[in-house]
Structure formats: C-alpha cells, structure tokens
C-alpha cells in the first residue's frame, strides 16, 4: 500500500487520499484560446518513472499535495503542499 | 500404510482427549493434534478424491502446501470447503468430511473418470469451449453450454454453504519497527536480536505453535520459546498468516481467532484481517520440500519426508511400518534414523552415486536408485525401483509408505509480491530470492540456507540489516552461503520410462501429470505463463507450492533449455487463501456502506415518510396516507403543492461557506453566469462547467455579505464540488484570498413550496409581517429568526415553479423548525412531500438534475445557453464550444408527451423515428412522471436537433428492455407556467 507523508498530518495510507492528476501541468489563463486549453487538458505524458502528481488528502487535512512518485515502483521521493504559502508553513514540520 | 500413535512421542496433550467426526464416524484425538494427524493416528488412509480423476488421496504433507487432505469442515451455515486438514487444529466435536466423492471418498463412482483420463487431459476446458470436432469445430461454445452443468458438478471440489455467514470478521491495524515473518530458527534469532536493541518487533507465525521446522525435533519446546519471546518484549502473533507484502513495507495478514475452538465465541470475530505497517520486514518463511514425479506418486501413503518427521515428533504419529524414502538430497537422513528408532523398517533410495552418511545397519540404503512406480490401488503395496545407470533392471520393494524428497524450494512468494524475481541456484536446485532494494531482508531456508546453525547466523545478519534501517550499526555479520548439505543434491524431478504409460503427478490438486505438460508443449504452449493456464498447473488452492518447479523442469526439458531460461511464473498475494468474509470485515449488511441521515430523519419517519436511498443519504420518498400506493401518494402531494403548500426536507444538498476578500472573484470564475454584481441579500442560480466545457453541476450561491457567500450544490456532486474548489484555490489560483468550508452537515434545510408558502413562513418567523414580496422578492435572501428566536436563513427560490422558499437552520434545531412549519402548513391543508413528488414537480417545469447532467451534456444541450456569459471568462468557457460540442446534431433538452394520453413510459426509453427503430435512435428520455396538472405521463430528455426539428412529428419511444413501445411527441421542456408567473407572484 502506498503511504504518503502528508506535511500536515504525517504518514498516512493512500486510502485517505484521492488521486488528482498530473502536477506538472500549468493551466492556461481562463481567457486563453481553446488550443492552449486543449493541450493542457488532453495531451498528457504517460511517464515511466518519476512523475509529479497531485493527491488530495480528502479524509484528512484536505490539503492538495504535490507528490513525486515512481510509476514503476511506487517509491515516493517527495511530498509538499501545492499551495506555496502552505508549503512554507508545513515544510519544516515533517 | 499403517499409521499409528506412538507412546512418548509428540507435543500433544494426552490428558485431553478430543472426540471428532470424520465422514459420519466418531474418532478420538488429543489436544494439539491437527485434523490430519488425528486421522493418521486413527489409520484413516483415504481422505479425499482428486479433482478430475477422482483418484483416492491421503495426507501428503504437514502444512499449508497440502494437496491431498482437502476436506470440508463444519455443517450448515458454517460449512467450510477445501480446508487443509494439515493446518486445521483439532477441537472437540469437529465435524469433517471428504469431498469431491459420491457416496464417500472410500467408494467413489467418480473414480470412473480415472479410466477416461485421456479425455480430461490438458486444455480440456479450452477444447470444450472451442466446440467438439468434427461436428462443431470452431463453432464456439455450443457444446460447452450443454455440458457445462455436468462438468461443473463432476469437477468441483468442496461445496460452500449457501447460507449467510453467521460469523463476524474484523479489520485491524498495527504498526511496528520490524516485522518478522516466521518463527523458525532464523526468524527467532532475528526477532530476539532486534528486540534486544529496543526496537518494537512483531513476530508473525501461521501455525498455532512457534518454532517452524523446529517443531519436527523431538526435544523442542514451543511453549518455552513463546514465553522467552514475550519476555523480550516481542509481540507474538500466532495463527496468523502474512499473506502478502505491499508497497512501503506494509504486510497483509490473516489471524484465525476462533477456527480452533469448538464453539464460536460470541464476542470474538472468527478472523481478523490485519494491515501491519512496518519499517523493516524480515522474511523467515522457510522452505517447502518437493515431491518427485513418477507413476502413481499420489497413492494414499505417499508423503514428503519431512512431513513424516513432523507427524512423529510433533504429533506422536508414526506414519508407516515399512517405509521407503526416495531422495536426491541429504535432508532425509536424520528423518530416516528417527523413523527407524521409532520402530519402522526404513529403506532409502538415493538417486546419487556416492553419499556419506552414518546409518544404523538396519536401514537399507540403495544408492543410484530411482523410484519408478508405486504399486497398489487404495493403499501402497510396494514400489518398483530402477538403478540410475540401468533403467532396464527393475526391482520391487514391499512397503506400506513411500516418502519423497526431490529437494527443497525456499518460499520466495512473499518477496515475489514486491516484483523481485527469484534467481535459480543450480548448486542447490532451487529458486532463491533476487536482490531486494526495499527494507526487506530474507533469512534462513527462505534464502536457501539449509542447516540450522547457518539459519540462526543468517537471522543475526538479517537483524543487522534491519537495525541499519534505524541507524543502529552493529558488528558486521555476513550471511552464510546458500546451501549447506555435505553431499551435493542432484536434479531429480521425474522418473519415466518410454515403455510404460505412467500417471506421474506434477500438481496433485489439479491432477496435472507430466504427460499433460508434454502435451501442452506439443500443442504449442511454450511460455510458462501459457503452460500454467493451459494445464492449470499451479492454479489450485495451493497455487503450485509443491508442483511448480517440477513443471518448470519438464518444460525446460521439452524446450531443451535450462530452468532459469524458462523462468518462473509470478507469485501474487495471497500466499494462502483469504476468506471473502475477512476481506469484507464489518462492512456487511447495514454496514456495507456509510449511512447518511438528515437532522430531521426521525421527524420524517415519525410523520409517516417512506424513505429512499439517494447516494448514501436516506431521504423521504413519499408520505402515504393509509392504503396509498407510491403513485397515489406522490400525485396527491404534487397536487397539493400546486394548490396550497408542501414541505420537503432538502438537507442533503451540498452546502459550502465561501469567505474572504476574493470570494466574489472565485464565485464569478467558477459559474458560467455573471456573479460579480450580485447584491448582498440576493441569490443566483448557477451552472459550473468542467475544464473541458461539459456541465459539472448546478446550484445556487447566496451573497450574505461583502466577502461571504453560501453555496448550495446538488446532493450527488456535493463532495466533488468541494474538492474542486479546494483544488482550484490550492493549485491554480493560489493568489486568491478565499476560504471554503463544507457546511453541509451544519445546516438543515426545508423547501416550502406552493401558493400558501408565504403565509406559512410568516407564521413561523419572529415578525409575522416580515416576509413580503418587496423585502423578499424572487431570489432574495433573508437572515432572520424563527418565532422562538432561533436564527435561520430564508431564500426565495423555486424548484417546483410555484411561489417557494427554502429555509435553513442550524442542524440541531431541525426538528423545531419542521414542527413549526408543519403546524402552520396544516392550517392551509398543506402536505409533506417527498422526493417522488419533488421529481414530478421539477419534470413538469423542465428543470434538470443529475439524470440529465450526466457528464456528457453541455450548457447549450441542457437548454441553459443563456446562462453562459459572453462577457467574462470562467472555467470551461474556452472549451465549451470546441469541435463536437457545437455540432448541429447534438441532443438537446426537450419534453415528451405520449400521443395516446393513457400510455406511460419509463426513463431510459430510446427515442426513434417511426420507421427507423434501431440503435441509439435520435434521442433518449431521462426523467418521467405522471403530471397531476396535465393529467397524463410526461418526460424530459434529449433529442437530436431539439424541439425545432421534431415539432408536430410523431416519434416512437422504444423500450426494448421492458419490451415496450409507444408513440410520443416532442414538446417544450417547460410544460407548466412557462413564463414563471407563479414563482414571481
Ligand atoms: Zn493531511
């Protein structure tokens, strides 16, 4: 079972979390053209190896986390809060 | 075989005699017996019939790898099939029987299959699926359909109870520093060493007694060991199987809590399903002895060598009087001596040319000798043997038991679960675990280390690895080398002669013979994974614990390759079977999923509501007066709402508090319609899209203050919308100063709908003149208090199309609010209404819900295009008109009437053109109701091209599932009061 070290709650089972998606995507501005949005929404890498992804601590502190996880071994390299200010507050905790 | 109990042997408690039943006959055993040892002590030879050929089978091992003694234990609702008699502890009153046999394992008519065996060879099922040549070749499953029932009946093993499981099961969790799996010499050494260094250790043992293979030693005391371990602070879990290792050194384990007790304990679960999160795992799972494939190697009395040693020294049962031991390795010699000392005549056949062992004179040692065929029908009469060098010279030895040892296989299953490929060790003829990069150490014979001293040493080495994980560095101890026998093992997997056909079993449980493996090869199945599936080798209850390696060796021989070149199949969890009940735990019946009730749940029931599940929520469905049916009731309720007033619990809607200086900005970005200028004290209906432009949800947002909104969502999408807002605020719009809080549980809500709703409200609020059209116009919001002073929120909003309000109050005060509203509504001949009437009212108005907004629908499809702002950008605005989403032939929201007003239709009906009733038609009906106002059935749904295209054209509603068809016409979805005069009144 994947165990994720939530910077706020500590290490928890993945069953407490909901998988979000690719964390490396920069979503375009709301008024950006359709072509940019199409690229952001539909064109995704299918990474074999370390990938940055978002996880929501749904049954916990409700933070959205950026997790670096290997898609081959499930090894988790890093976890941090997505929100930069929350990251600043929580990063020294864990 | 004549097996018997021996005085002065074994670790059983002879003071405690236990009565038990086997195939309706009474027997006795002792406390500490397994069912298998008790049967052997009573000289019960045949305990099962084989899967396909119904051959008689006896006890073949003493552990989880058992392939012969699969029995049914218990009766009625507690009937448990395919129980390994070797691991079932004996208890007083245990009731067991043989399976896969009629009338009994001793006389089984199914035995005729043995003579039809060529029809049941490898691939039998697949060939039957394909059809029966020459009549049906390639025609598919015709013949299978005919014979399936017969075949299933004939080829089943035990039968599960059809009654509900009366036992309870539990899920449990634990944590530790180091988890040690297995309590043999290596596991014990590791656990003790680690516990001595003040780390928290859990030791798991599948057996009831600790000791592993030490239990086969005469003087070993398991209870003493148990006390020692507990005194060192080790948490010992016996009767617990670690069935799988998962990511992050998490172990799944099954604890059998009451399976060894006569009467199930009313306060204990039958089994516990453990999830144990360790920081380091030491696998000391041991090794299993292999058999050898030769003719009739499955006759009752054929057994692994080490098993007989266990039966002698653990259970005090001598398994034969005249025993032949067949081997290719050194592990059997100590056993031979002990069996001899216990009084058996012992003959050893060793396939090797030279071995060095001191044996008592009475033991006959035949070197260079291979077992060829066991003689006998239901019991062993003797064995034909050959000289290795001269396969023509046969010799027959009279005996009543044949013990086999074709080498040992380390139990690499658990580390295989981690994707670690086992590596073939040619010197020891076995697979050993490959390199492990996680915090897992393998010690003892699980690593291919054979003698006890080395196993202990490897335990210490493993302990050191584990302690390194915690930064404790001890003097370097290296692992002893793999192996440890003084005479090298020689490969011996099968003995065959081309002159005689043989039935040499590779996988006893699935009756897979050496010939089946060769047949599979001839038919082109050359990969091990295909071989496995075609022959079903290794797919039975034991998952190939005994037969896999032999199968691989045969395949290697056919392919002219080596075993490592052929490779092995992947072991997956569970190591031994895990009952579904244990997986399910407490999540059965009412607890199958969480139950959500609204704060007025009891109030609703007390007032006669029939409830319905909506997602996890219990909501009022309808409030029948006496003798009323559902349809009587909802038609009455909907009629009263339109005539006077009705009250409905709407608490299950999602509610989100949005607060902060950028609250307006957030709300304006997520809804399609403008919110930037929504005044304080007003609410607005809004649609949210997904990034890709499809409708996500609809709801309302009320502006309570400069920086505060109260959002409602649909019941179904409440959690999704909440997560979505959090995602946007935490990942995309991190500059916005907004906080969102789910307040769904904090507020109870009721709809008050109908022409008299304003009167009802005024009777309930503190100032009875407060609510007027002026100070609470359509979509107005009022924060006020009830006449008893309780604060509440009122919004003028309408789902029914009537003059209507929703009132929200803190959840704890819900009953009081409902009492007040209901007392007042009764004065106007009002009613309570449920979800069915709510649905009828909204369908009449053409309002969409989840049935329409199903994740495929755009805002234009839903007929709400006017709500999509062209003056601002919002989530989904860039994508909502992309490509196919703006095609001309999209399905658009419409209403449906039956042509014949007496006809009805159902949701799910496919809308077709009159002469073209097929496929997906031109549309679909998504919601239907009887309309009390119109006096006939109505529906809403989608049709290609919308009302403009199909106006005045008769279409057909096709409902092939219910075998129904009716003529329908397309109308506007707004079937009642399209101008909305009533709700603005
Ligand atoms: Zn958390």
């Amino acid at each position: 079972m994947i165990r994720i070290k939530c910077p706020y709650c500590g290490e928890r089972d993945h069953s407490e979390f909901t998988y979000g998606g690719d964390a490396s995507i920069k979503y375009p501005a709301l008024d950006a053209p359709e072509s940019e949005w199409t690229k952001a929404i539909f064109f995704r890498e299918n990474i074999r190896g370390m990938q940055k992804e978002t996880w929501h601590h749904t049954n916990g502190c409700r933070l959205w986390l950026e997790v670096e996880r290997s898609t081959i071994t499930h090894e988790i390299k890093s976890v941090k809060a997505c929100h930069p200010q929350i990251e600043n507050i929580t990063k020294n905790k864990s | 075989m004549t097996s018997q109990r021996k005085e002065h042997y074994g670790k059983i408690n002879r003071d405690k005699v236990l009565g038990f039943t086997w195939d309706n006959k009474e027997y006795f055993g002792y406390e500490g017996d397994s069912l298998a040892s008790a049967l052997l002590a009573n000289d019960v030879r045949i305990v099962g019939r084989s899967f396909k050929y119904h051959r008689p089978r006896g006890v073949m091992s003493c552990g989880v790898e058992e392939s012969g003694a699969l029995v049914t234990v218990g009766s009625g609702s507690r009937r448990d099939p395919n129980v390994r008699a070797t691991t079932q502890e004996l208890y007083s009153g245990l009731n067991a029987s043989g399976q896969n046999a009629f009338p009994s394992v001793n006389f089984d008519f199914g035995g005729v299959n043995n003579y039809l065996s060529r029809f049941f060879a490898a691939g039998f099922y697949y060939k039957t699926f394909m059809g029966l040549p020459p009549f049906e070749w390639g025609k598919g499953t015709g013949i299978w359909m005919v014979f399936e029932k017969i075949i299933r009946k004939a080829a089943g093993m035990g039968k599960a109870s059809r009654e509900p499981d009366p036992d309870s099961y539990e899920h449990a969790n634990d944590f530790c520093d180091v988890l040690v799996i297995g309590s043999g010499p290596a596991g014990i050494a590791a656990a003790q060493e680690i516990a001595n260094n003040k780390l928290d250790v859990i030791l798991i043992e599948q057996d009831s007694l600790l000791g592993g293979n030490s239990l086969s030693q005469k003087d070993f005391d398991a209870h003493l060991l148990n006390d020692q371990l507990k005194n060192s602070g080790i948490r010992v879990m016996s009767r617990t199987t670690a069935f799988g290792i998962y990511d992050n050194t998490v172990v799944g384990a099954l604890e059998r809590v009451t399976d060894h007790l006569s009467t199930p304990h009313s306060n204990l679960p039958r089994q516990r399903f453990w999830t144990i999160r360790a920081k380091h795992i030491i696998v000391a799972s041991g090794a299993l002895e292999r058999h050898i494939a030769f003719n009739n190697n499955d006759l009752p009395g054929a057994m692994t060598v080490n098993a007989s040693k266990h039966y002698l020294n653990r259970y005090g049962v001598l398994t034969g009087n005249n025993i032949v031991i067949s081997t290719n390795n050194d592990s059997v010699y100590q056993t031979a001596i002990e069996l001899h000392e216990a009084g058996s005549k012992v003959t050893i056949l060793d396939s090797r040319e030279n071995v060095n062992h001191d044996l008592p004179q009475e033991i006959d040692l035949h070197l260079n000798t291979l077992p060829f065929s066991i003689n006998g029908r239901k019991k062993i009469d003797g064995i034909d043997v050959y000289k290795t060098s001269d396969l023509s010279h046969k010799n027959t030895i009279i005996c009543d038991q044949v013990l086999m040892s074709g080498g040992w296989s380390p139990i690499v299953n658990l580390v295989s679960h981690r994707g670690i490929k086992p590596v073939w060790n040619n010197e020891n003829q076995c697979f050993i675990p490959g390199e492990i990069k996680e915090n897992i150490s393998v010690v003892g014979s699980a690593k291919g280390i054979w003698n006890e001293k080395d196993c202990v040493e490897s335990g210490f080495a493993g302990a050191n690895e584990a302690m390194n994980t915690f930064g404790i560095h001890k003097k370097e101890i290296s692992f002893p080398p793999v192996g440890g026998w003084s005479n090298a093992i020689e490969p011996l997997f099968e003995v065959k002669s081309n002159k005689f056909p043989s039935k040499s079993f590779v996988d006893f449980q699935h009756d897979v013979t050496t010939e089946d493996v060769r047949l599979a090869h001839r038919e082109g199945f050359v990969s091990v994974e295909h071989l496995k599936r075609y022959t079903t080798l290794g797919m039975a209850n034991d998952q190939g614990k005994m037969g896999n390696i032999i199968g691989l060796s045969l395949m290697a021989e056919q392919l002219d390759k080596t075993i490592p070149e052929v490779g092995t199949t992947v072991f997956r969890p569970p190591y031994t079977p895990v009952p579904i009940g244990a997986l399910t735990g407490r999540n059965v019946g009412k607890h199958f999923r969480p139950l959500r009730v609204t704060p007025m749940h009891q109030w609703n029931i007390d007032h006669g509501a029939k409830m319905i599940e909506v997602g996890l929520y219990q909501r009022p469905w309808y409030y029948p007066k006496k003798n009323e049916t559902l349809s009587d009731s909802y038609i009455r309720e909907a009629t009263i709402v339109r005539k006077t007033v009705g009250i409905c619990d709407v608490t299950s809607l999602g509610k989100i508090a949005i607060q902060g200086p950028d609250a307006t900005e957030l709300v304006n970005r997520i809804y399609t319609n403008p919110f930037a200028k929504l005044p304080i004290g007003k609410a607005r209906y809004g649609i949210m899209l997904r990034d890709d432009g499809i409708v996500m949800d609809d709801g309302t947002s009320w502006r309570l203050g400069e920086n505060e909104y109260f959002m409602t969502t649909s019941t179904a999408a409440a959690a999704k919308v909440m997560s979505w807002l959090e995602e946007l605020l935490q990942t995309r719009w991190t500059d916005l100063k907004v906080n969102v809080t789910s307040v769904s549980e904090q507020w109870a809500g009721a709809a008050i709908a109908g022409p008299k709703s304003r009167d009802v409200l005024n009777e309930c609020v503190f100032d009875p003149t407060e609510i007027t059209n002026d100070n609470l116009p359509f979509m107005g919001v009022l924060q006020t208090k009830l006449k008893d002073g309780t604060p509440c929120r009122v919004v003028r909003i309408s789902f029914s199309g009537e003059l209507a309000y929703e009132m929200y109050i803190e959840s704890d005060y819900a009953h009081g609010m409902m009492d007040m509203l209901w007392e007042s509504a009764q004065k106007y001949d009002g009613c309570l209404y449920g979800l069915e009437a709510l649905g009828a009212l909204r369908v009449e108005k053409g309002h969409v819900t989840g049935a329409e907004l199903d994740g495929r629908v755009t805002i234009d499809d839903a007929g709400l295009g006017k709500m999509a702002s062209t003056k601002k950008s919002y989530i989904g605005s860039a994508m909502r008109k992309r490509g196919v989403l703006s095609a001309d032939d999209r399905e658009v929201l419409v209403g449906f009437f039956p042509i014949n007003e007496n006809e009805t239709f159902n949701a799910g009906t496919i809308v077709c053109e009159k002469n073209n009733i097929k496929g997906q038609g031109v549309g679909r009906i998504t919601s239907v109701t009887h309309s009390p106002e119109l006096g006939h059935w109505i529906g809403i749904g989608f049709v290609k091209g919308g009302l403009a295209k199909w106006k005045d054209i008769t279409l057909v509603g096709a409902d092939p599932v219910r075998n129904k068809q009716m003529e329908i016409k397309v109308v506007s979805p707004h079937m009642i009061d399209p101008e909305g005069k009533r709700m603005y009144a």
Side-chain angles (χ1 to χ4, degrees):
Chain A
M1 156 164 25
I2 298 178
R3 304 256 295 152
I4 298 174
K5 229 175 235 165
C6 172
Y8 188 77
C9 307
E11 191 175 37
R12 302 298 178 89
D13 291 353
H14 73 230
S15 53
E16 289 187 10
F17 297 82
T18 311
Y19 180 78
D22 190 334
S24 67
I25 291 172
K26 290 266 169 285
Y27 285 91
L30 290 178
D31 57 3
E34 188 189 314
S35 59
E36 273 183 48
W37 274 96
T38 301
K39 226 176 120 195
I41 295 170
F42 295 117
F43 292 82
R44 297 286 166 88
E45 297 295 323
N46 188 9
I47 294 167
R48 181 179 154 83
M50 274 295 164
Q51 109 173 340
K52 281 185 183 176
E53 54 200 23
T54 55
W55 288 77
H56 189 202
H57 201 178
T58 331
N59 296 315
C61 62
R62 310 258 335 159
L63 283 186
W64 277 87
L65 306 174
E66 185 182 307
V67 176
E68 262 186 296
R69 179 183 67 99
S70 163
T71 59
I72 305 168
T73 64
H74 289 329
E75 183 205 338
I76 290 177
K77 207 167 125 193
S78 71
V79 184
K80 63 171 191 172
C82 291
H83 196 290
Q85 272 169 281
I86 300 173
E87 204 244 322
N88 272 335
I89 298 164
T90 54
K91 74 177 167 197
N92 297 322
K93 244 196 101 184
S94 53
Chain B
M1 167 173 70
T2 318
S3 51
Q4 57 186 296
R5 193 80 74 177
K6 293 298 285 186
E7 285 294 318
H8 313 301
Y9 274 95
K11 305 175 204 320
I12 46 172
N13 178 6
R14 290 180 203 244
D15 295 333
K16 197 118 187 236
V17 178
L18 305 174
F20 72 100
T21 314
W22 166 256
D23 268 349
N24 300 318
K25 267 179 80 181
E26 310 245 329
Y27 294 94
F28 293 96
Y30 296 113
E31 187 180 77
D33 258 326
S34 69
L35 175 57
S37 69
L39 288 169
L40 287 170
N42 285 286
D43 200 22
V44 175
R45 282 186 293 251
I46 303 174
V47 292
R49 286 278 172 166
S50 76
F51 184 58
K52 279 197 288 190
Y53 305 134
H54 290 250
R55 288 166 67 96
R57 293 277 165 83
V59 175
M60 308 182 100
S61 77
C62 64
V64 295
E65 71 275 31
E66 178 60 24
S67 286
L70 294 175
V71 303
T72 297
V73 172
S75 58
S77 58
R78 287 201 165 85
R79 188 175 69 205
D80 214 358
N82 303 333
V83 173
R84 295 172 297 273
T86 49
T87 58
Q88 173 63 54
E89 291 175 60
L90 193 68
Y91 54 77
S92 170
L94 187 149
N95 169 15
S97 53
Q99 51 191 32
N100 202 30
F102 177 81
S104 78
V105 289
N106 258 318
F107 301 97
D108 172 23
F109 288 126
V112 69
N113 282 9
N114 197 18
Y115 303 100
L116 300 173
S117 57
R118 68 191 188 91
F119 297 108
F120 289 97
F124 167 71
Y125 296 101
Y126 297 105
K127 286 166 187 164
T128 316
F129 277 132
M130 299 285 288
L132 196 66
F135 313 108
E136 278 202 312
W137 187 244
K139 268 201 191 164
T141 55
I143 191 100
W144 172 251
M145 305 300 267
V146 176
F147 287 116
E148 183 191 356
K149 278 189 191 126
I150 304 163
I151 291 166
R152 279 200 193 285
K153 206 168 178 181
M157 288 299 279
K159 285 186 182 63
S161 169
R162 308 291 292 185
E163 293 169 48
D165 191 338
D167 292 312
S168 65
Y169 300 81
E170 215 164 68
H171 287 178
N173 295 278
D174 214 335
F175 299 81
C176 64
D177 292 329
V178 182
L179 181 72
V180 180
I181 299 166
S183 67
I188 296 295
Q192 258 172 341
E193 179 66 13
I194 297 163
N196 289 343
N197 283 278
K198 303 276 176 277
L199 292 175
D200 179 21
V201 180
I202 293 180
L203 176 73
I204 287 191
E205 171 54 55
Q206 63 188 358
D207 207 320
S208 58
L209 294 181
L210 301 182
N213 199 42
S214 301
L215 288 167
S216 74
Q217 290 166 7
K218 207 172 173 188
D219 301 322
F220 176 76
D221 185 339
H223 296 288
L224 190 66
L225 174 63
N226 192 29
D227 294 343
Q228 281 169 7
L229 294 176
K230 287 195 169 158
N231 288 338
S232 344
I234 295 167
R235 295 189 277 154
V236 175
M237 297 173 75
S238 56
R239 297 192 177 98
T240 306
T241 304
F243 60 78
I245 301 184
Y246 302 88
D247 295 307
N248 291 58
T249 47
V250 172
V251 168
L254 181 76
E255 180 186 6
R256 290 166 293 278
V257 182
T258 65
D259 282 352
H260 62 293
L261 301 177
S262 294
T263 26
H265 196 291
S266 57
N267 296 326
L268 284 176
R270 181 184 165 206
Q271 295 171 338
R272 282 195 192 97
F273 180 95
W274 285 92
T275 305
I276 305 173
R277 298 151 189 90
K279 298 193 180 83
H280 195 104
I281 298 170
I282 290 187
V283 178
S285 50
L288 293 175
E289 196 173 23
R290 294 193 295 262
H291 65 282
I292 301 161
F294 56 94
N295 191 36
N296 284 345
N297 62 343
D298 66 328
L299 267 196
M303 192 185 271
T304 52
V305 182
N306 196 48
S308 74
K309 189 165 170 241
H310 270 269
Y311 284 114
L312 181 63
N313 288 323
R314 177 170 179 182
Y315 300 110
V317 174
L318 187 57
T319 52
N321 281 328
N322 188 351
I323 298 173
V324 168
I325 294 177
S326 172
T327 189
N328 62 347
N329 68 80
D330 283 4
S331 69
V332 306
Y333 284 85
Q334 179 61 28
T335 307
I337 292 167
E338 293 191 25
L339 291 173
H340 160 70
E341 284 170 357
S344 292
K345 178 175 178 355
V346 178
T347 307
I348 302 176
L349 318 174
D350 198 316
S351 66
R352 297 170 294 179
E353 210 172 311
N354 279 310
V355 291
N356 242 334
H357 280 286
D358 285 334
L359 285 173
Q361 279 193 348
E362 295 87 348
I363 297 180
D364 284 333
L365 171 61
H366 299 267
L367 292 175
N368 241 334
T369 307
L370 299 172
F372 175 66
S373 176
I374 295 179
N375 302 326
R377 293 278 300 270
K378 288 182 176 176
K379 64 179 180 54
I380 293 174
D381 298 329
I383 180 168
D384 295 343
V385 304
Y386 280 112
K387 282 286 169 198
T388 312
S389 51
D390 179 10
L391 282 178
S392 59
H393 186 73
K394 191 171 82 171
N395 188 13
T396 301
I397 300 170
I398 301 299
C399 62
D400 64 1
Q401 176 160 57
V402 174
L403 302 179
M404 300 173 278
S405 179
W408 288 75
S409 299
I411 299 172
V412 298
N413 303 52
L414 289 172
V415 283
S416 290
H417 297 171
R418 300 303 308 130
I420 295 153
K421 285 214 172 100
V423 180
W424 181 252
N425 181 292
N426 207 47
E427 198 184 314
N428 289 283
Q429 291 289 303
C430 65
F431 280 105
I432 58 172
E435 193 201 343
I436 303 173
K437 291 187 179 129
E438 296 176 73
N439 290 335
I440 300 173
S441 308
V442 184
V443 300
S445 57
K447 208 180 173 71
I449 295 165
W450 302 141
N451 68 55
E452 187 171 333
K453 201 177 127 283
D454 286 348
C455 283
V456 170
E457 191 70 8
S458 78
F460 289 130
N464 267 12
E465 279 189 355
M467 288 187 290
N468 281 338
T469 302
F470 298 89
I472 304 170
H473 302 291
K474 294 273 161 178
K475 182 173 63 96
E476 192 74 25
I477 301 176
S478 50
F479 280 95
V482 171
W485 288 321
S486 45
N487 306 284
I489 184 174
E490 279 176 7
L492 176 60
F493 298 102
E494 184 198 12
V495 182
K496 67 169 194 279
S497 154
N498 295 330
K499 282 187 222 156
F500 307 98
S502 76
K503 212 163 258 161
S504 309
F505 288 90
V506 180
D507 181 327
F508 298 114
Q509 283 201 10
H510 265 172
D511 272 353
V512 180
T513 65
T514 53
E515 265 319 302
D516 288 328
V517 177
R518 282 188 275 271
L519 177 67
H521 171 258
R522 284 200 298 277
E523 296 188 350
F525 294 88
V526 294
S527 117
V528 280
E529 295 289 352
H530 292 163
L531 169 73
K532 170 179 164 175
R533 282 152 186 86
Y534 194 59
T535 60
T536 72
L537 195 169
M539 287 169 71
N541 186 296
D542 74 326
Q543 291 285 293
K545 287 184 179 63
M546 287 179 84
N548 258 13
I549 306 289
I550 299 176
L552 292 179
S553 79
L554 295 175
M555 199 45 137
E557 189 189 322
Q558 293 300 305
L559 295 170
D560 210 10
K561 285 182 175 173
T562 60
I563 289 179
E565 282 172 327
V566 172
T568 180
T569 55
V570 179
F571 291 110
R572 293 192 177 84
Y575 174 61
T576 50
V578 177
I580 304 268
L583 294 173
T584 315
R586 299 267 178 191
N587 305 319
V588 290
K590 269 190 188 169
H591 300 290
F592 179 63
R593 50 185 188 167
L595 170 73
R596 296 187 79 180
V597 296
T598 71
M600 43 268 231
H601 182 70
Q602 194 54 47
W603 193 96
N604 291 325
I605 288 172
D606 292 345
H607 288 77
K610 289 268 180 279
M611 307 301 283
I612 188 171
E613 273 181 25
V614 183
L616 301 176
Y617 262 114
Q618 289 280 312
R619 292 186 68 178
W621 188 7
Y622 59 104
Y623 292 83
K625 302 248 185 234
K626 58 177 177 214
N627 299 331
E628 268 187 347
T629 62
L630 164 65
S631 94
D632 295 340
S633 188
Y634 88 81
I635 291 170
R636 173 182 52 77
E637 291 165 19
T639 309
I640 291 175
V641 169
R642 297 232 184 273
K643 210 167 108 193
T644 61
V645 64
I647 305 204
C648 178
D649 176 1
V650 297
T651 305
S652 66
L653 293 177
K655 301 167 218 91
I656 300 170
I658 302 174
Q659 293 155 312
D662 290 322
T664 302
E665 180 63 23
L666 172 70
V667 172
N668 200 40
R669 285 186 197 180
I670 54 172
Y671 283 124
T672 62
N673 43 332
F675 270 77
K677 293 191 177 110
L678 183 68
I680 295 169
K682 287 287 266 184
R684 195 162 281 176
Y685 176 71
I687 300 273
M688 285 180 206
L689 306 185
R690 309 189 306 219
D691 276 332
D692 65 354
I694 299 285
V695 176
M696 177 189 275
D697 193 36
D698 63 345
T700 64
S701 278
W702 322 354
R703 190 161 195 183
L704 301 177
E706 181 61 30
N707 298 328
E708 182 171 9
Y709 289 79
F710 180 76
M711 174 185 280
T712 67
T713 73
S714 69
T715 300
K720 191 167 77 181
V721 171
M722 183 65 199
S723 291
W724 174 231
L725 297 183
E726 287 169 328
E727 181 176 2
L728 291 172
L729 290 170
Q730 292 182 39
T731 70
R732 289 197 211 172
W733 302 335
T734 55
D735 56 326
L736 289 192
K737 293 187 176 65
V738 194
N739 187 64
V740 288
T741 312
S742 168
V743 291
S744 295
E745 305 281 341
Q746 279 67 26
W747 291 95
I752 306 100
K756 296 291 179 195
S757 54
R758 188 180 291 140
D759 304 292
V760 169
L761 273 186
N762 269 329
E763 284 194 22
C764 297
V765 292
F766 197 75
D767 170 5
T769 61
E770 187 178 12
I771 295 172
T772 63
N773 194 33
D774 288 339
N775 74 352
L776 193 57
F778 186 63
M779 295 315 274
V781 175
L782 204 61
Q783 302 199 64
T784 179
K785 51 189 178 181
L786 292 177
K787 60 185 172 190
D788 65 0
T790 318
C792 64
R793 292 172 178 177
V794 184
V795 64
R796 183 167 161 193
I797 203 168
S798 179
F799 202 44
S800 58
E802 299 300 321
L803 170 68
Y805 304 84
E806 282 175 14
M807 179 181 266
Y808 289 84
I809 195 158
E810 275 185 54
S811 291
D812 288 349
Y813 299 90
H815 280 220
M817 175 181 76
M818 291 302 275
D819 280 340
M820 245 177 259
L821 291 170
W822 180 225
E823 193 193 329
S824 168
Q826 280 170 298
K827 294 181 194 161
Y828 299 94
D829 296 322
C831 72
L832 298 168
Y833 67 103
L835 204 61
E836 198 70 23
L838 186 91
L841 294 164
R842 70 103 185 167
V843 172
E844 285 182 328
K845 286 294 291 178
H847 286 159
V848 290
T849 63
E852 286 73 40
L853 305 178
D854 63 356
R856 295 180 288 175
V857 169
T858 69
I859 194 166
D860 291 307
D861 297 343
L864 299 166
K866 275 189 212 149
M867 290 181 64
S869 168
T870 51
K871 298 196 175 71
K872 66 163 187 177
S873 298
Y874 47 89
I875 290 279
S877 62
M879 297 294 278
R880 71 180 192 88
K881 288 203 178 286
R882 67 187 152 93
V884 292
L885 298 193
S886 54
D888 289 338
D889 63 343
R890 285 193 68 80
E891 294 182 349
V892 179
L893 188 80
V894 293
F896 295 103
F897 284 173
I899 299 280
N900 173 351
E901 288 192 353
N902 295 322
E903 276 194 303
T904 68
F905 40 49
N906 293 77
T909 297
I910 300 164
V911 178
C912 297
E913 290 173 278
K914 240 181 150 180
N915 297 317
N916 195 16
I917 302 169
K918 64 177 189 199
Q920 300 181 5
V922 295
R924 58 210 159 91
I925 303 180
T926 51
S927 300
V928 299
T929 184
H930 180 269
S931 165
E933 178 134 338
L934 298 170
H936 59 79
W937 279 71
I938 59 172
I940 57 173
F942 295 88
V943 70
K944 280 183 182 172
L947 178 61
K949 183 163 179 190
W950 302 102
K951 202 172 187 311
D952 303 324
I953 298 174
T954 298
L955 292 169
V956 171
D959 194 349
V961 176
R962 300 176 191 84
N963 208 8
K964 231 169 117 173
Q965 242 177 50
M966 73 298 298
E967 290 189 329
I968 54 174
K969 64 180 173 190
V970 175
V971 297
S972 157
H974 313 293
M975 292 171 253
I976 284 178
D977 185 27
E979 306 84 31
K981 277 185 200 147
R982 300 180 194 179
M983 64 185 186
Y984 292 109

